[in-house]
Amino acid sequence: MTDKHIDEISGVETTGHEWDGIRELNNPLPRWWVYSFYATIIWAIGYAVAYPSWPMLTESTKGVLGYSSRAEVSAELAEAKAAQAGNLERIASSAVEDIMANPELKQFAITIGASAFKVNCAQCHGSGTAGGKGFTNLNDDEWLWGGKPEEIYQTIAHGIRYSGDGETRVSEMPAFTDTLAPREVRATAAYVASLTGTPSNPALVEPGKQLFAENCASCHGADAKGTREFGAPNLADAIWLNGEGEQAIIDQMKSPKHGVMPAWLQRIGDPVVKELAVFVHSLGGGE
């Protein structure tokens, strides 16, 4: 029989395992740890008996307690729907203005609208509603068609330039390549650029101002601050939808970009459109 090896420093017997001259001490496990380990085994057996645990071919064992997490979730969802039912009915039968006037109903609409926004609107306007190039920022107080709750509702319900809805908002900027010479386009762009910065050629600003009055003011206004009747943007606020800078202005005058927003009324229903309108209005830029 092989003699047992005893570690010289600790005086503890080793297991016989050795790695590069390092031996493993054969220290016994603490009693509390052993008992805890046995307790977990007993607990696991009891849990497997009491609750659903063992997978079978088509389902799992039911457990003697008959507990079901799915049934519990279903009950909670049913309870939540029952609690919401009253507010949902009130939203369906109320105008947006009436929802805004009721603090409790308004808060409920904001909460539901925030969820609906993530599902239907965040793909274009962003999860933070800040938009991006070609997609409007819904956090600021600049509105092409108006930022009152009923105006926001109209935009969401019927869309922008959406051919499938007869009540959609429509506005189109014409291309000025046929009506203005290239030099006149540059002059007009220089004037518009001067409203928020320094144009590349300041000498073009004055003739550009006259060209703007003759060709652009009918939609954008004499002060270039836009008109909501036509959805014409404010050109004097340094907020740009399709690109910033003098060249972007020239490009827009030559080949205008016209975005399309779908009409949501038939897709998601009137109550959800109301909830979205209240939510968007609450972002901080609503009027």
Side-chain angles (χ1 to χ4, degrees):
M1 181 175 180
T2 305
D3 293 336
K4 296 180 180 180
H5 180 271
I6 305 299
D7 180 63
E8 295 180 0
I9 297 176
S10 63
V12 176
E13 177 186 346
T14 63
T15 63
H17 301 158
E18 183 179 346
W19 297 273
D20 295 331
I22 300 174
R23 295 178 180 271
E24 179 184 13
L25 298 179
N26 189 20
N27 283 318
L29 292 170
R31 286 296 177 184
W32 67 266
W33 192 96
V34 175
Y35 294 147
S36 298
F37 180 66
Y38 291 154
T40 59
I41 296 175
I42 296 172
W43 170 265
I45 294 173
Y47 190 94
V49 173
Y51 291 93
S53 55
W54 294 99
M56 310 295 283
L57 291 177
T58 57
E59 58 183 11
S60 63
T61 56
K62 301 298 184 183
V64 296
L65 297 181
Y67 172 79
S68 171
S69 59
R70 291 186 178 181
E72 188 176 76
V73 170
S74 297
E76 291 176 355
L77 289 175
E79 183 179 349
K81 288 181 179 179
Q84 294 177 0
N87 283 334
L88 291 173
E89 291 174 0
R90 292 164 66 191
I91 286 177
S93 60
S94 301
V96 177
E97 298 90 333
D98 297 331
I99 298 172
M100 295 291 298
N102 185 320
E104 179 186 352
L105 201 58
K106 175 183 176 182
Q107 186 56 52
F108 179 82
I110 290 173
T111 302
I112 302 300
S115 297
F117 185 92
K118 293 176 182 178
V119 174
N120 301 286
C121 315
Q123 293 83 353
C124 292
H125 293 283
S127 58
T129 72
K133 186 175 181 180
F135 301 101
T136 52
N137 180 357
L138 303 178
N139 291 307
D140 59 25
D141 54 2
E142 291 297 324
W143 298 90
L144 293 177
W145 300 95
K148 295 179 180 179
E150 59 272 20
E151 293 170 331
I152 299 172
Y153 172 88
Q154 173 71 16
T155 299
I156 298 173
H158 302 289
I160 307 294
R161 305 182 192 91
Y162 185 68
S163 59
D165 191 302
E167 298 182 53
T168 191
R169 296 188 185 277
V170 178
S171 69
E172 289 193 6
M173 175 177 172
F176 285 94
T177 50
D178 294 333
T179 56
L180 295 178
R183 176 184 57 80
E184 293 175 318
V185 170
R186 291 195 299 272
T188 306
Y191 167 68
V192 173
S194 74
L195 299 175
T196 55
T198 303
S200 58
N201 187 351
L204 295 177
V205 172
E206 280 305 314
K209 182 177 181 180
Q210 182 61 35
L211 288 165
F212 182 91
E214 295 171 354
N215 297 276
C216 313
S218 57
C219 290
H220 291 282
D223 56 1
K225 292 186 177 180
T227 55
R228 291 175 175 178
E229 180 183 359
F230 304 111
N234 183 348
L235 303 177
D237 61 3
I239 296 176
W240 304 96
L241 183 61
N242 292 303
E244 182 177 357
E246 194 169 338
Q247 186 57 50
I249 298 171
I250 293 173
D251 293 341
Q252 182 69 5
M253 291 184 67
K254 290 182 176 181
S255 180
K257 300 178 179 66
H258 298 129
V260 175
M261 174 178 167
W264 290 97
L265 184 60
Q266 298 302 320
R267 298 186 181 201
I268 58 179
D270 180 69
V272 180
V273 173
K274 292 175 182 175
E275 291 157 359
L276 282 170
V278 175
F279 167 70
V280 171
H281 185 271
S282 74
L283 294 174
E287 299 172 336

